Amino acid sequence: MPREIVDITFSTSAGYLKSVDYLLDHIQDEDSSRNPNKYAFVLVAASALESILNNAVIYWAHHRFGRGDYKRMASAFLSMSLRGKLDSFVFLASDSEFISNNESATYQQLSELIRVRNEVAHAKDFPRECELEIEETEEGHLSFELPTKLRDALNDTPLSVAYEQCCGYRAALHHLHEILTEFEGNEGLAQSEFCKRAAQPINPPDAAR
């Protein structure tokens, strides 16, 4: 039989999603609400999101431009920020028929994931000045009460993300993966609450008038 050139893709997104599932089962180890495994969960979940979006862009470019130009065209969009990819990939994948619905629950979950991921990946721990009233106990130990401002700061960290919120991240990731791997044409996009039809462009006034 004659030889043929075929394209084979090894996708990393499925592996990332399995890691997300695994880590979700371990962010409540030892009953700690501030389990440090949440850092790993957030970073892997964000990596899964980027892998899914990158695959969507590459798939679009490969089928739109063919072998000659698809890598160059894909690279132009792959250089965007993670949020930029989240906002634009539906428009690309659907040939401008749909856009991402930023009011949908899936979009809101993924947008929140990006925000938390940025906090984890780009943490900057500047010292915080605070005034403490230190007292000595009867046993000779020193004690103090954290100021409200400092307590609020400690509670507003990625480690404080609730387990239910992490479950929401996982559900949104799996939904995104499903609509991009199982749809035929734009059918999957049309059925997902993550997508909405793009508004028709407004025709500019006739310059001859």
Side-chain angles (χ1 to χ4, degrees):
M1 295 183 65
R3 291 175 177 265
E4 293 185 24
I5 298 177
V6 297
D7 295 310
I8 300 175
T9 300
F10 296 96
S11 174
T12 58
S13 57
Y16 277 126
L17 288 173
K18 288 182 180 179
S19 294
V20 167
D21 294 341
Y22 174 84
L23 287 168
L24 187 63
D25 292 335
H26 292 81
I27 61 175
Q28 287 187 310
D29 289 352
E30 300 177 2
D31 261 348
S32 171
S33 62
R34 296 174 58 83
N35 190 299
N37 287 343
K38 287 182 182 178
Y39 285 142
F41 173 85
V42 168
L43 291 175
V44 172
S47 296
L49 174 58
E50 185 142 28
S51 178
I52 293 169
L53 296 178
N54 287 348
N55 288 344
V57 170
I58 293 170
Y59 179 88
W60 161 77
H62 186 266
H63 287 77
R64 182 72 172 79
F65 301 103
R67 288 193 181 92
D69 298 298
Y70 88 92
K71 284 187 178 180
R72 176 171 60 90
M73 299 306 297
S75 296
F77 291 94
L78 292 175
S79 63
M80 292 190 298
S81 67
L82 185 53
R83 190 175 299 278
K85 294 173 188 175
L86 181 65
D87 283 327
S88 63
F89 86 96
V90 171
F91 186 76
L92 297 176
S94 67
D95 282 330
S96 74
E97 185 176 348
F98 295 93
I99 60 174
S100 55
N101 179 8
N102 62 351
E103 296 181 353
S104 69
T106 299
Y107 182 96
Q108 293 294 326
Q109 291 282 0
L110 297 176
S111 180
E112 174 72 9
L113 172 60
I114 293 173
R115 184 190 69 78
V116 177
R117 171 259 188 189
N118 289 340
E119 289 186 19
V120 174
H122 308 294
K124 299 176 180 63
D125 300 321
F126 289 105
R128 299 173 183 268
E129 291 186 3
C130 61
E131 186 175 338
L132 301 178
E133 186 173 335
I134 302 175
E135 298 180 352
E136 186 174 350
T137 65
E138 293 180 357
E139 294 80 13
H141 302 298
L142 298 180
S143 68
F144 59 86
E145 184 175 340
L146 290 178
T148 302
K149 198 171 184 180
L150 193 56
R151 283 203 309 271
D152 292 343
L154 288 173
N155 291 328
D156 185 23
T157 72
L159 289 181
S160 301
V161 174
Y163 175 78
E164 291 73 21
Q165 185 67 26
C166 294
C167 291
Y169 297 158
R170 178 180 67 171
L173 288 169
H174 278 280
H175 177 66
L176 196 65
H177 187 258
E178 287 173 4
I179 65 174
L180 289 174
T181 56
E182 298 179 7
F183 74 90
E184 292 291 337
N186 288 343
E187 291 180 12
L189 300 178
Q191 295 170 6
S192 172
E193 48 87 35
F194 179 78
C195 309
K196 64 181 180 180
R197 292 195 177 274
Q200 294 299 314
I202 300 174
N203 294 326
D206 192 337
R209 292 180 184 176

